């Protein structure tokens, strides 16, 4: 990670104030581009590419004219494809159980989603909004889906409301506003919590898989080798290679030690008709939603979009820590990402997909480590998703536990831990970081972020000087409203531990 000063959390620059440092941008990207052979090392070349790129919002951004493809772009694309297969599969499976749908539904819907998301990746992140992160999957929602189904929620209604609320938040610039009010301590603590919980959950998953096949020692060996490999890559400053090499080491070691593996998913195409997916006897077997369907999922949709801001903020801050100076232009734009995610959510839900969207963490974190801007790797991600969805066999490999677990650990969760530690090593940040972790453990990261945001901006914890510099609107009105809304919605649907849901619909 670079050692330059971390920019203020949540700043969402698209048109930074010109300074002497911007003298490097005295021409177009094509004019400023230099071959990698003209630099002393690869790192200098990648830094230069980030500094000269000039993304254009809502205008065409073309490969080779506005950006280039590099080998490093394949790394986040590979990690993103693995993450997408896993996360959409998890959402589809969570719906399939209560609805009585089989494995065939899960497999076909994942393939369908891989094709849907590819279109939006190309259109937005690869073409007209190159600073919008890819629209990924909302992992924190997965535990809530059984409650939604039990209450009679409809996946199309849920997705359409998420898209509508997300678009309202993006148009009002609410996402970047909330991000700007989040201090380094709050954001750092959020990253620490997400990184730690994610790492431990994947380690547990790998051991559960290994114990299930009667070979628990395989999990220990795979994780030990992954730790050693990660340390070596860190030492030689090749950490961007962590995902492919860890997948190779993890999968290869497990297979050589006798773990069973076979390719089962044949090449093919999913059903492409929305009428099939929303039929009463085909696809979801639910038909189209009614007004009651929208009312039931309304609290969950509000909660889902409210949880976007801390998620998006964490991804943007990781870029800021990983990128060199003079790269504000290529940073992920929170509001643009919300626009992209909202349109993708509405279209995906209408078409019949199972995905509920958020910022794509398994893409942006490895891309930041590799010091690559969003668009080139985005196009490769779209290509990999199309190949995986049609060919089928890569999906089997992506969800094999020794490959999937180590990819998520080294590609997402360990980097989040490192970023959180980086953000909390200076100033009065440790108090806020500790409270975020504490409150997140009590309920969830959205609750932890909202209550600590309020306490930190009031000056009860963290920097008193920062609190004193804030207006009343920034100090307590906006954070207070955010905390009340989030906590109120969680109370209504039964997400506060030990407190029954306030709405009878959700008392299951």
């Amino acid at each position: 990670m670079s050692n330059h000063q971390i920019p203020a959390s949540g700043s969402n620059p698209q048109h930074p104030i010109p300074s002497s440092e911007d003298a490097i941008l005295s021409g177009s990207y094509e004019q400023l581009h230099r071959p990698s052979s003209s630099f002393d090392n690869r790192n200098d070349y990648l830094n230069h590419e980030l500094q000269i790129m000039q993304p254009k919002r809502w205008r065409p951004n073309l490969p080779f004219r506005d950006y280039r493809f590099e080998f490093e772009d394949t790394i986040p694309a590979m990690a993103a494809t693995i993450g997408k297969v896993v996360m959409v599969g998890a959402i589809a499976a969570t719906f399939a159980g209560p609805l009585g749908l089989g494995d065939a539904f899960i497999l076909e819907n994942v393939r369908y989603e891989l094709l849907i998301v590819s279109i939006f990746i190309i259109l937005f992140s690869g073409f007209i909004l190159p600073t919008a992160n890819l629209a990924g999957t909302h992992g924190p929602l997965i535990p809530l889906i059984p409650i939604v189904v039990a209450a009679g929620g409809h996946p199309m209604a849920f997705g359409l409301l998420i898209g509508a609320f997300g678009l309202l938040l993006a148009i009002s610039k609410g996402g970047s506003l909330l991000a700007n009010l989040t201090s380094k301590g709050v954001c750092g603590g959020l990253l620490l919590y997400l990184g730690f919980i994610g790492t431990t959950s994947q380690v547990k998953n790998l051991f559960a898989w290994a114990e299930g096949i009667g070979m628990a020692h395989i999990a220990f060996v795979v994780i030990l080798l992954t730790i050693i490999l990660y340390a070596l890559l860190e030492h030689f400053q090749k950490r961007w290679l962590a995902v492919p090499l860890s997948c190779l080491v993890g999968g290869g070691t497990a297979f050589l030690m006798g773990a069973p593996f076979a390719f089962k998913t044949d090449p093919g195409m999913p059903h492409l008709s929305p009428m099939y997916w929303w039929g009463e006897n085909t696809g979801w077997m639910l038909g189209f939603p009614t007004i009651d369907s929208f009312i039931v999922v309304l609290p969950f949709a509000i909660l889902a979009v409210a949880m976007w801001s801390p998620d998006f903020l964490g991804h943007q801050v990781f870029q800021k820590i990983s990128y060199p100076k003079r790269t504000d232009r290529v940073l992920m734009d929170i509001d643009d990402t919300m626009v992209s995610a909202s349109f993708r959510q509405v279209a995906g839900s209408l078409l019949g997909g199972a995905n509920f969207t958020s910022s794509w963490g398994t893409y942006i974190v490895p891309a930041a480590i590799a010091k690559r801007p969003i668009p080139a790797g985005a196009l490769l991600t779209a290509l990999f998703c199309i190949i995986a969805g049609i060919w089928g066999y890569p999906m089997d490999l992506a969800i094999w536990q020794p490959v999937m677990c180590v990819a998520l650990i080294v590609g997402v969760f360990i980097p989040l831990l490192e970023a959180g530690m980086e953000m909390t090593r200076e100033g009065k940040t440790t108090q806020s970081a500790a409270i975020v972790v504490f409150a997140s453990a009590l309920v969830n990261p959205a609750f932890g972020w909202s209550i600590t945001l309020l306490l930190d901006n009031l000056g009860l914890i963290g920097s008193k000087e920062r609190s004193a510099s804030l207006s009343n609107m920034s100090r307590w009105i906006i954070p207070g409203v955010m905390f009340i809304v989030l906590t109120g919605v969680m109370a209504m649907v039964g997400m506060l531990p030990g407190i029954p849901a306030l709405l009878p619909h959700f008392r299951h």
Side-chain angles (χ1 to χ4, degrees):
M1 293 183 182
S2 59
N3 293 321
H4 67 277
Q5 184 178 1
I6 301 170
S9 298
S11 60
N12 202 29
Q14 283 300 316
H15 306 288
I17 298 172
S19 68
S20 60
E21 288 184 334
D22 294 322
I24 190 172
L25 292 175
S26 57
S28 67
Y29 171 82
E30 284 183 292
Q31 294 168 335
L32 294 170
H33 173 76
R34 291 157 50 194
S36 59
S37 57
S38 65
F39 292 85
D40 293 335
N41 55 63
R42 184 71 177 173
N43 193 58
D44 288 346
Y45 169 70
L46 295 174
N47 286 343
H48 179 72
E49 284 290 291
L50 288 171
Q51 291 166 337
I52 65 172
M53 186 177 165
Q54 300 165 51
K56 298 181 284 288
R57 299 176 65 242
W58 300 110
R59 286 184 291 163
N61 291 261
L62 302 177
F64 307 109
R65 188 194 73 180
D66 299 299
Y67 58 88
R68 274 173 166 74
F69 295 97
E70 304 292 344
F71 173 76
E72 288 83 356
D73 290 313
T74 62
I75 307 305
M78 180 188 302
T81 305
I82 293 173
K84 173 56 66 176
V85 173
V86 171
M87 296 302 290
V88 177
I91 287 184
T94 309
F95 266 113
L99 294 175
L101 304 172
D103 291 341
F105 166 84
I106 299 171
L107 173 62
E108 189 164 19
N109 202 280
V110 171
R111 298 181 104 155
Y112 190 39
E113 276 289 354
L114 289 173
L115 300 182
I116 293 172
V117 76
S118 300
I119 297 172
F120 285 88
I121 291 173
I122 295 170
L123 176 61
F124 285 100
S125 299
F127 188 55
I128 60 174
L129 279 180
T131 53
N133 187 26
L134 285 60
T137 301
H138 205 329
L141 278 186
I142 294 176
L144 304 182
I145 290 175
I147 304 175
V148 176
V149 176
H154 193 290
M156 181 196 281
F158 195 16
L160 291 178
L161 285 179
I162 290 175
F165 290 146
L167 196 57
L168 288 174
L169 191 62
I171 292 172
S172 65
K173 303 291 183 182
S176 55
L177 172 63
L178 292 171
N180 281 321
L181 296 180
T182 306
S183 70
K184 294 179 186 178
V186 176
C187 189
L190 186 66
L191 295 178
L192 285 170
Y193 179 80
L194 294 173
F196 178 75
I197 293 298
T199 300
T200 54
S201 67
Q202 292 306 314
V203 170
K204 290 177 181 177
N205 289 344
L206 188 57
F207 269 98
W209 165 82
E211 291 168 359
I213 61 173
M215 306 175 80
H217 59 284
I218 290 181
F220 177 81
V221 173
V222 166
I223 293 173
L224 179 61
L225 292 178
T226 302
I227 292 171
I228 296 171
L229 173 64
Y230 193 82
L232 289 172
L233 292 174
E234 184 74 65
H235 176 73
F236 292 108
Q237 297 184 346
K238 299 292 183 182
R239 198 160 53 103
W240 58 276
L241 287 170
V243 172
L245 292 184
S246 295
C247 290
L248 181 62
V249 169
T253 300
F255 188 74
L256 291 174
M257 294 181 71
F261 174 76
F263 290 108
K264 300 176 182 178
T265 306
D266 296 327
M269 286 286 290
H271 285 278
L272 301 178
S273 170
M275 300 306 295
Y276 166 84
W277 288 104
W278 295 122
E280 294 185 357
N281 300 305
T282 56
W284 290 92
M285 299 187 182
L286 293 173
F288 289 99
T290 63
I291 296 297
D292 289 343
S293 303
F294 286 91
I295 295 173
V296 166
V297 299
L298 181 63
F300 291 98
I302 295 172
L303 180 61
V305 174
M307 292 169 71
W308 273 7
S309 287
D311 196 23
F312 287 40
L313 173 62
H315 295 160
Q316 188 198 60
V317 168
F318 193 85
Q319 276 186 309
K320 292 180 179 181
I321 294 175
S322 303
Y323 283 2
K325 295 180 180 179
R326 303 193 304 273
T327 55
D328 284 350
R329 289 174 178 81
V330 296
L331 290 176
M332 164 187 160
D333 184 287
I334 289 178
D335 297 312
D336 284 353
T337 303
M338 287 186 175
V339 169
S340 171
S342 299
F343 278 114
R344 182 261 183 275
Q345 181 63 65
V346 170
S349 295
L350 289 174
L351 291 172
N355 188 70
F356 298 111
T357 193
S358 184
S359 179
W360 199 326
T362 52
Y363 174 79
I364 200 68
V365 172
I369 294 172
K371 295 189 175 180
R372 294 298 297 148
I374 291 172
L379 293 183
L380 292 181
T381 301
L383 176 62
F384 289 0
C385 285
I386 292 171
I387 292 173
I390 296 176
W391 195 12
Y393 297 128
M395 294 172 59
D396 294 323
L397 192 59
I399 62 174
W400 195 37
Q401 292 291 332
V403 172
M404 179 183 71
C405 291
V406 297
L408 294 176
I409 288 172
V410 304
V412 179
F413 299 123
I414 294 298
L416 289 179
L417 273 173
E418 293 179 358
M421 293 174 186
E422 182 84 10
M423 294 194 71
T424 55
R425 68 178 184 175
E426 295 177 352
K428 300 176 181 179
T429 57
T430 53
Q431 295 174 348
S432 302
I435 294 296
V436 171
V437 174
F438 187 14
S440 297
L442 173 63
V443 184
N444 58 39
F447 177 85
W449 166 73
S450 63
I451 190 172
T452 314
L453 175 67
L454 176 60
L455 297 175
D456 185 81
N457 285 16
L458 285 173
L460 299 179
I461 55 177
S463 172
K464 306 297 187 294
E465 294 79 9
R466 175 182 175 275
S467 174
S469 69
L470 297 173
S471 65
N472 286 334
M473 184 67 70
S474 299
R475 184 183 301 116
W476 66 271
I477 296 177
I478 295 176
V481 169
M482 194 68 204
F483 173 68
I484 292 171
V485 169
L486 263 178
T487 306
V489 172
M490 291 180 193
M492 285 191 289
V493 301
M495 288 184 63
L496 300 181
I499 300 177
L502 300 182
L503 298 180
H505 274 302
F506 304 108
R507 292 174 187 167
H508 294 282

